[in-house]
Amino acid sequence: MTTVISVPPSLDEQSFEQVIEQLAPLPEDEKILVDARHARWASPYGLTALLCVAQSRQQLMGFAVPENPDTVSYWSRTGFFRYAAELYEMHGHVPRAREAHESDVLLEITPIVKSDDVHGVVGRIQQKAADILHGQLNLDTAVTGSFGMTLSESCQNIVEHAGLGGWVAVQTYKYTRRLGRRVVVIAVCDAGMGFRKSLESSPSHRHSDRWDDGMALEDAVLRAVSRFRHGDKGRGQGLAGIRRFIGRWSGKLSVRSGTARIAVTPEWDEDVPLQENLPFFPGSQMQIIIPERIGDSPVKARGALAASPRSWSVR
């Protein structure tokens, strides 16, 4: 008997929780089909997290390809099927693999396994990043280097903390409902050990009754704690650098690991700062959103969302 995991029509960091909720209670030897036939859209987070789903199980899972031809075409352009075919038993019409092509709106899904991959990714996307940030988001030219740093730090977290390869993808699109302007979205996802287990491996770690996935995320994201920080000056500042970057550009950072999810939010977003007791999913899944700049005015949300109080707003 095969258990079917339904993929929601619109797959992003919020709706992906529906996939985890279905998956988490199932035993490791369960025969599973991930059914994406009715999917119509997916963010970089959704696509890279789907690859992590396959990596998270010992048993090879089936994957039902979306039926909508536009969805299949877009997912193919992101490179999703190239890697999904290696991780899933595919069902339905899988488009023929094609060579990666240059685009000024997306950076295709790229596997991250070792430090050489991080350097390669950052080097390869520099020109594309400049096109996206200057040509479409109207950010200052000085942001290009910071953007590369942000992506590098995000990918480096996979190498240093995951213990298993992961994925990075970048795309720009119009964030109509929330902002009414374009954003660039960076997703860095893995199914490795996660932040809690990584921090527990530090010689300086002291276990307490309050220690859990939520506290591990607070330590890593808000207090820049790293397993490398003890006796290794300068380490553990990657996420701190990302926070400074998104604060400067009114961006958003969210990180899910284990059973918790933390979000550092700007004024235009009303995400929950910390969610705990979520269904377990291995590794860490990070998303960074940077909005388009229009003139010199600060980024504001549309309508009433702008008035929502935030306890952990980006400063």
Side-chain angles (χ1 to χ4, degrees):
M1 181 176 178
T2 300
T3 298
V4 177
I5 302 293
S6 299
V7 175
S10 180
L11 188 62
D12 58 16
E13 62 169 337
Q14 300 290 347
S15 60
F16 192 77
E17 292 299 320
Q18 298 174 31
V19 176
I20 299 176
E21 288 170 1
Q22 298 172 75
L23 186 68
L26 302 177
E28 280 294 328
D29 59 353
E30 186 84 3
K31 192 173 182 180
I32 296 172
L33 173 68
V34 177
D35 184 4
R37 288 177 300 163
H38 304 299
R40 299 298 298 267
W41 182 84
S43 68
Y45 182 100
L47 292 175
T48 51
L50 277 179
L51 296 176
C52 292
V53 166
Q55 292 179 305
S56 71
R57 308 289 294 190
Q58 296 178 2
Q59 188 82 12
L60 180 68
M61 294 191 293
F63 186 89
V65 176
E67 295 177 341
N68 184 282
D70 291 339
T71 305
V72 171
S73 177
Y74 166 64
W75 289 24
S76 180
R77 289 200 304 276
T78 68
F80 173 78
F81 294 115
R82 184 181 311 135
Y83 303 109
E86 299 173 359
L87 298 170
Y88 286 102
E89 180 182 86
M90 304 297 283
H91 299 270
H93 175 65
V94 180
R96 188 172 57 183
R98 54 186 180 183
E99 295 295 326
H101 63 281
E102 297 296 319
S103 169
D104 60 356
V105 297
L106 69 86
L107 302 170
E108 294 185 327
I109 295 172
T110 302
I112 302 294
V113 179
K114 53 187 182 299
S115 292
D116 289 347
D117 295 323
V118 175
H119 300 317
V121 167
V122 173
R124 183 171 64 82
I125 60 92
Q126 285 293 337
Q127 185 56 52
K128 289 184 178 179
D131 293 341
I132 292 173
L133 296 170
H134 305 319
Q136 301 195 34
L137 270 67
N138 301 318
L139 300 186
D140 296 339
T141 54
V143 76
T144 304
S146 298
F147 179 81
M149 177 277 295
T150 300
L151 190 59
S152 175
E153 297 287 2
S154 303
C155 296
Q156 194 67 35
N157 277 327
I158 288 180
V159 178
E160 296 184 347
H161 299 283
L164 181 71
W167 312 90
V168 58
V170 183
Q171 187 187 355
T172 179
Y173 49 80
K174 193 162 186 178
Y175 214 32
T176 304
R177 182 172 60 87
R178 182 76 66 183
L179 276 173
R181 61 176 69 180
R182 299 186 70 82
V183 297
V184 63
V185 179
I186 305 169
V188 183
C189 296
D190 69 76
M193 69 172 71
F195 279 92
R196 177 180 177 177
K197 191 172 181 180
S198 175
L199 293 178
E200 287 175 349
S201 67
S202 169
S204 62
H205 174 70
R206 295 291 181 269
H207 187 78
S208 71
D209 292 340
R210 294 183 58 242
W211 178 250
D212 56 16
D213 288 315
M215 182 171 285
L217 281 176
E218 289 182 341
D219 277 356
V221 177
L222 303 181
R223 293 185 277 273
V225 176
S226 169
R227 65 170 172 161
F228 294 108
R229 198 169 189 183
H230 179 75
D232 194 354
K233 187 177 181 179
R235 305 299 294 270
Q237 298 303 307
L239 285 169
I242 292 172
R243 286 190 62 205
R244 287 193 294 271
F245 178 78
I246 65 167
R248 179 182 178 188
W249 299 105
S250 297
K252 175 184 177 182
L253 167 67
S254 60
V255 187
R256 191 194 198 283
S257 186
T259 60
R261 178 179 177 277
I262 196 168
V264 181
T265 59
E267 291 182 347
W268 51 263
D269 192 86
E270 58 176 8
D271 202 351
V272 177
L274 179 64
Q275 292 178 278
E276 298 183 277
N277 302 315
L278 298 172
F280 177 79
F281 190 68
S284 62
Q285 298 81 46
M286 179 188 304
Q287 178 174 270
I288 301 165
I289 301 177
I290 305 167
E292 174 188 19
R293 184 182 185 187
I294 299 178
D296 295 326
S297 60
V299 180
K300 295 291 186 182
R302 279 190 159 183
L305 293 176
S308 299
R310 305 300 315 147
S311 57
W312 287 1
S313 296
V314 173
R315 304 297 182 196

